[in-house]
Amino acid sequence: FIMSTSPISARAEESAIDVSTACDGYFTVLYQSALQVKMKVGVTRDSDTVYYCYVPGTASTYAFTGGNGEYTITLYRNVSGTTYRSVTSTCVDVEMDDPMAPYLASTDEITFSANDTVGQKAAELCSGLTGDGDKVAAIYRYMAANFTYDHTLGRQVARGEVVNYVPNTAQILEHKTGICYDFSTLFAAMCRSQGIPCAIAKGYLNGGYHAWNMVYVDGVWNAVDITRAISNRDSDAASL
């Protein structure tokens, strides 16, 4: 898509971007609009920008995954086709109290709470376990043994028939099916709900776009491919 830095109107909605929680590793966007238009949030750090889909009227949370430093956050609105223009923008110098904070937060992509089904299931799986490695292994084993890959959705995404896809962690847990993006999102949400830093990694693998996890245990980031475990029914995971 094409981004334009020209504002769509002179009246910027400064309250749309709330960075008061920057020290906790995340910010919130809430833009009220009567128009049902497609919108995106752009997060720029050191000239690199990551774009997220945004639904007007919702309070959506995003993490500062680039660490401490200066960020520019821009809210864009679709004007036609694949062209977007800036609605409002803000800069923030992020100094987090905990460098792991972005990998512990509940965000629009990785959603959980202590009282929702995701948090409750993780608590059930990790009950009686004290080590982070044992907890990660318990979550891994559960997902590997009980979830199945949705090949129909996978083909639709690969062909471009499904775009702007954002997983719903509660629905993934309920239906126990999905694609790599779904599985890595739910795995991260359950780990984070147990206070274990976890990130989603994305890139090309064997000619296809893939998502997996990086989980932080005992001072080390470990790669975990939960989709591969599900596909191979590899539920025999040792603790990390």
Side-chain angles (χ1 to χ4, degrees):
F1 49 87
I2 302 170
M3 294 298 186
S4 169
T5 56
S6 301
I8 203 163
S9 69
R11 189 174 75 90
E13 299 286 348
E14 295 181 359
S15 63
I17 303 172
D18 180 2
V19 296
S20 62
T21 54
C23 63
D24 296 317
Y26 67 92
F27 66 95
T28 302
V29 174
L30 175 55
Y31 180 76
Q32 301 291 358
S33 173
L35 299 176
Q36 294 300 310
V37 295
K38 293 187 292 184
M39 303 190 77
K40 291 184 182 290
V41 174
V43 184
T44 302
R45 171 87 162 92
D46 293 336
S47 300
D48 293 325
T49 303
V50 178
Y51 295 101
Y52 302 93
C53 295
Y54 173 71
V55 178
T58 62
S60 299
T61 301
Y62 308 91
F64 292 109
T65 56
N68 289 335
E70 187 172 302
Y71 290 77
T72 300
I73 305 165
T74 307
L75 180 62
Y76 296 95
R77 189 179 116 186
N78 181 261
V79 290
S80 66
T82 57
T83 301
Y84 287 73
R85 287 184 183 170
S86 168
V87 174
T88 185
S89 185
T90 189
C91 293
V92 57
D93 190 7
V94 176
E95 292 187 15
M96 287 176 273
D97 298 331
D98 178 1
M100 292 298 161
Y103 309 107
L104 291 167
S106 174
T107 67
D108 232 37
E109 183 180 43
I110 303 171
T111 305
F112 66 90
S113 73
N115 297 319
D116 72 0
T117 56
V118 174
Q120 289 177 351
K121 187 60 182 181
E124 174 192 326
L125 294 171
C126 299
S127 178
L129 302 177
T130 56
D132 286 351
D134 292 331
K135 293 179 181 180
V136 170
I139 296 168
Y140 178 101
R141 287 193 294 265
Y142 169 74
M143 292 190 65
N146 293 282
F147 286 66
T148 57
Y149 190 87
D150 187 338
H151 292 281
T152 299
L153 178 58
R155 286 190 293 269
Q156 291 173 334
V157 171
R159 291 195 296 255
E161 297 171 4
V162 175
V163 295
N164 298 332
Y165 181 72
V166 179
N168 181 310
T169 52
Q171 290 182 5
I172 299 163
L173 177 62
E174 178 183 359
H175 298 297
K176 294 181 174 55
T177 186
I179 59 176
C180 60
Y181 191 15
D182 297 310
F183 300 146
S184 57
T185 297
L186 178 59
F187 182 83
M190 288 203 286
C191 286
R192 290 186 184 190
S193 73
Q194 287 294 302
I196 304 169
C198 191
I200 297 175
K202 301 172 185 176
Y204 286 92
L205 180 66
N206 298 326
Y209 202 64
H210 189 51
W212 63 98
N213 294 99
M214 299 298 297
V215 60
Y216 192 75
V217 176
D218 296 333
V220 178
W221 284 102
N222 301 269
V224 175
D225 191 339
I226 191 66
T227 303
R228 182 176 180 179
I230 290 168
S231 298
N232 296 335
R233 279 288 178 255
D234 178 18
S235 59
D236 187 21
S239 61
L240 297 177

